[in-house]
Amino acid sequence: MQQIFNFLIRNKNNILFLFLLVLAVFFTIQTHSFHKSSFISSANGLTGGIYSWANDFDKYMHLDEYNERLMEENKQLRNVLTNLNDTISVENYTDTTTFDGTYYFRTARVINNNYAKPNNFLTLNQGKEAGIKSEFGVITSKGVIGIVDRVNSRFSRVISILNSDSQINAQLNKTNHFGSLIWDGKNPNIVQLIDVPRQAPVKEGDTIVTGGKSLIFPEGIPIGSIEDFKLDQSESYYNINVRLFNDMTNIGYVYVIENLEREEILELEQEDEQ
């Protein structure tokens, strides 16, 4: 206490000056409407800035929640549009993608993603409890990600499109010429479309989409655009490099696609083989 008292005695002139300055500012604000308005405006600006910062911080902390909510809403819209048997436009990737009402979309989040190995996989935070099974397709709003191959009650593993065992039916968006989509294990942004006949009108920049020969993906899901191409050794088919629309090194939320007629079609085909 004595130390505080001594400090006040030594600095009494400074303290008195500060008190008088604060008092003068107070009376100036109270007696002059312009100064009062400016002070209130400045205070409101400071308060607003704090509130804005706090709101931005709160939004940042809840990004996952907002993304999950958005994905859920998008899933519901996709299912509604699918069941309407209408035409869905996918801007910048393909002119029109038509689903015939036989596909159901679920949402999931990627919790692990490999892209630097010859055989890469992704892990999703949804499994059997969410209705996910093996051989369901996985996409984002930009394009194909891969195919589910293993599932337990809460999680599922996806064979990435960047996997040497991956083979997906794909075609040129502008025609019905199709081939098999594979990966040579080199560039995570580039995959290869092979066995496209030389009669196909191949052009750099054209869009590649999923083909109609698959029981996993609907026809017309975007994949990427033609980077370059050349004929194979027999000069009968094109080998096409396709630049993916997805950045496979940065995948967050995905849609898991179920073909509701898959089992019925497989059962029919198996009867034909017997």
Side-chain angles (χ1 to χ4, degrees):
M1 181 65 68
Q2 183 64 36
Q3 292 177 345
I4 296 175
F5 180 75
N6 292 337
F7 174 81
L8 293 175
I9 292 298
R10 286 196 305 269
N11 297 276
K12 61 180 180 180
N13 291 333
N14 292 334
I15 295 173
L16 179 61
F17 174 77
L18 182 61
F19 173 75
L20 292 175
L21 179 62
V22 171
L23 193 63
V25 171
F26 173 76
F27 283 122
T28 300
I29 292 172
Q30 290 297 319
T31 56
H32 295 78
S33 58
F34 173 77
H35 293 90
K36 185 175 182 179
S37 175
S38 297
F39 176 79
I40 292 172
S41 177
S42 298
N44 287 341
L46 178 61
T47 303
I50 294 173
Y51 284 148
S52 178
W53 177 85
N55 184 59
D56 290 343
F57 181 76
D58 182 70
K59 286 182 178 179
Y60 176 79
M61 295 300 293
H62 291 84
L63 278 178
D64 280 349
E65 178 185 340
Y66 296 150
N67 284 334
E68 288 181 5
R69 190 183 307 164
L70 183 61
M71 287 290 292
E72 184 66 23
E73 291 172 355
N74 286 341
K75 179 198 75 173
Q76 294 174 5
L77 288 173
R78 282 178 178 270
N79 286 321
V80 169
L81 290 171
T82 297
N83 291 325
L84 284 176
N85 192 20
D86 205 347
T87 298
I88 303 174
S89 295
V90 185
E91 187 177 356
N92 298 327
Y93 300 109
T94 180
D95 295 332
T96 55
T97 301
T98 303
F99 301 146
D100 59 6
T102 64
Y103 294 90
Y104 183 79
F105 293 80
R106 295 175 172 85
T107 59
R109 180 166 55 89
V110 175
I111 59 175
N112 187 45
N113 178 22
N114 303 130
Y115 50 83
K117 303 175 182 179
N119 296 305
N120 296 293
F121 299 90
L122 303 93
T123 305
L124 308 183
N125 70 336
Q126 301 287 358
K128 292 179 182 178
E129 292 178 358
I132 295 177
K133 300 178 182 179
S134 61
E135 298 193 10
F136 280 11
V138 181
I139 68 171
T140 70
S141 58
K142 291 185 175 182
V144 172
I145 294 295
I147 300 172
V148 176
D149 78 321
R150 292 184 185 176
V151 183
N152 62 24
S153 60
R154 296 175 54 208
F155 304 99
S156 51
R157 190 181 78 162
V158 178
I159 297 179
S160 171
I161 197 172
L162 304 179
N163 190 303
S164 62
D165 293 329
S166 174
Q167 189 164 326
I168 296 172
N169 178 255
Q171 68 180 48
L172 277 67
N173 184 47
K174 293 182 178 180
T175 72
N176 290 321
H177 295 94
F178 64 89
S180 296
L181 197 74
I182 61 173
W183 187 51
D184 62 8
K186 297 178 181 178
N187 188 333
N189 298 310
I190 304 289
V191 295
Q192 289 69 45
L193 181 61
I194 61 174
D195 298 333
V196 176
R198 66 176 300 166
Q199 292 81 9
V202 178
K203 187 175 68 173
E204 290 184 8
D206 281 355
T207 298
I208 301 299
V209 299
T210 52
K213 311 295 183 182
S214 170
L215 293 178
I216 296 176
F217 295 102
E219 182 178 1
I221 296 290
I223 295 173
S225 60
I226 297 176
E227 182 84 355
D228 55 58
F229 56 90
K230 63 181 180 180
L231 290 170
D232 63 8
Q233 292 183 349
S234 69
E235 296 191 351
S236 298
Y237 298 93
Y238 284 114
N239 289 333
I240 303 172
N241 282 322
V242 179
R243 179 168 292 275
L244 296 172
F245 290 138
N246 272 312
D247 177 1
M248 293 298 295
T249 68
N250 183 28
I251 304 297
Y253 291 85
V254 297
Y255 297 104
V256 182
I257 305 175
E258 177 184 3
N259 183 347
L260 301 177
E261 295 181 349
R262 174 183 169 81
E263 297 302 324
E264 186 176 354
I265 294 172
L266 286 176
E267 182 179 348
L268 178 64
E269 291 177 348
Q270 289 172 358
E271 289 178 357
D272 291 340
E273 294 176 357
Q274 292 176 355

